[in-house]
Amino acid sequence: MILEARDKPIIAMLEWIKVRLMTRMYSKKAVIEKFTSDICPNIVQKHEQLKFDSKSFSAVPSGCYIYEVDNEYERHVVNLTRKCCTCRVWDLTGIPCKHGVAAIYKNLERPKDYVHACYKNDAYVAAYKKMITPLPGQDEWVETNQPTCPCCSNCGRPPMKRKKYAVELNNPYKISKSYRPIKCGFCHKEGHNSRRCKAGITGETQ
């Protein structure tokens, strides 16, 4: 998102980021104020898909809020009290999986009541409740006696790409040159370059 602002001076870069965040927070706040559901809009769409996927499963009660959910291909155990399933999707996401949805409907309840609190409408509103305060132009800034920031001593154009961590993988769509065979530019044979080519060395001496 900030790739466009990386080559700007520090103040211009911060101003660019501030405007983008201010616009994003305002738009998110406006959307959630018009939304009437108890859970976030994205979770509502996921629930509709999970309802469709759960139609092929049958839930059989085994105990108090414990169900065995299966179809022709798989079988799982759902515990509605602990809000978990043996497929572990519910445990990892906080959203009832398709097996959990089948068990919840069998228990005559609503899946949205089993969604984690972080996906509720109240949490969404609280996340975008505060706003970023607008700032006046630089000509209206208050002058201070603080020393100015020293200029960067590095020459040349500032880098556009961010520095990657050691554990990050390289671009899978870019072919690496490290595994390519070395090919000589003089004799066009593989295994050496033109500097170590015997034919090139003998030709130069002659």
Side-chain angles (χ1 to χ4, degrees):
M1 181 180 179
I2 66 171
L3 185 62
E4 185 179 344
R6 288 180 64 89
D7 60 339
K8 298 181 182 297
I10 182 66
I11 295 179
M13 181 185 68
L14 294 176
E15 287 287 335
W16 190 94
I17 296 174
K18 184 204 68 176
V19 172
R20 294 303 182 277
L21 291 177
M22 187 187 303
T23 305
R24 178 179 175 82
M25 293 186 70
Y26 177 80
S27 60
K28 290 289 185 179
K29 184 179 180 181
V31 169
I32 199 62
E33 287 178 352
K34 298 178 182 179
F35 205 67
T36 57
S37 179
D38 297 335
I39 55 180
C40 299
N42 292 338
I43 309 303
V44 173
Q45 297 178 1
K46 291 182 179 181
H47 266 197
E48 295 300 324
Q49 182 63 36
L50 289 171
K51 289 179 184 179
F52 178 79
D53 296 339
S54 65
K55 292 181 179 180
S56 61
F57 290 89
S58 60
V60 180
S62 176
C64 184
Y65 293 95
I66 299 176
Y67 288 84
E68 181 181 282
V69 182
D70 65 341
N71 60 2
E72 298 179 359
Y73 306 101
E74 54 182 321
R75 179 188 300 172
H76 294 281
V77 178
V78 177
N79 191 324
L80 298 181
T81 304
R82 297 182 178 180
K83 296 181 180 180
C84 63
C85 177
T86 53
C87 73
R88 298 201 64 210
V89 174
W90 193 350
D91 307 56
L92 297 174
T93 61
I95 304 173
C97 57
K98 54 187 177 182
H99 319 107
V101 171
I104 291 171
Y105 278 126
K106 185 68 176 181
N107 205 45
L108 303 178
E109 293 183 285
R110 300 180 303 177
K112 65 179 182 179
D113 296 335
Y114 285 86
V115 175
H116 195 275
C118 66
Y119 299 115
K120 295 296 181 66
N121 197 348
D122 297 337
Y124 200 102
V125 172
Y128 297 98
K129 183 178 181 180
K130 296 182 179 180
M131 69 174 186
I132 298 178
T133 306
L135 296 176
Q138 296 187 26
D139 55 342
E140 300 182 17
W141 290 1
V142 179
E143 294 184 2
T144 62
N145 297 326
Q146 299 294 330
T148 58
C149 180
C151 298
C152 182
S153 59
N154 296 331
C155 299
R157 182 179 296 177
M160 292 291 293
K161 296 182 179 180
R162 65 179 180 85
K163 294 181 180 180
K164 294 185 179 181
Y165 294 100
V167 296
E168 284 190 88
L169 299 176
N170 295 327
N171 188 357
Y173 302 102
K174 186 177 180 181
I175 301 176
S176 176
K177 295 182 179 180
S178 59
Y179 298 102
R180 291 183 180 180
I182 301 175
K183 190 174 183 179
C184 178
F186 187 83
C187 65
H188 305 290
K189 294 182 180 180
E190 296 182 356
H192 63 277
N193 54 18
S194 58
R195 293 182 180 180
R196 299 182 179 180
C197 182
K198 297 181 179 180
I201 295 174
T202 55
E204 291 177 357
T205 54
Q206 292 177 0

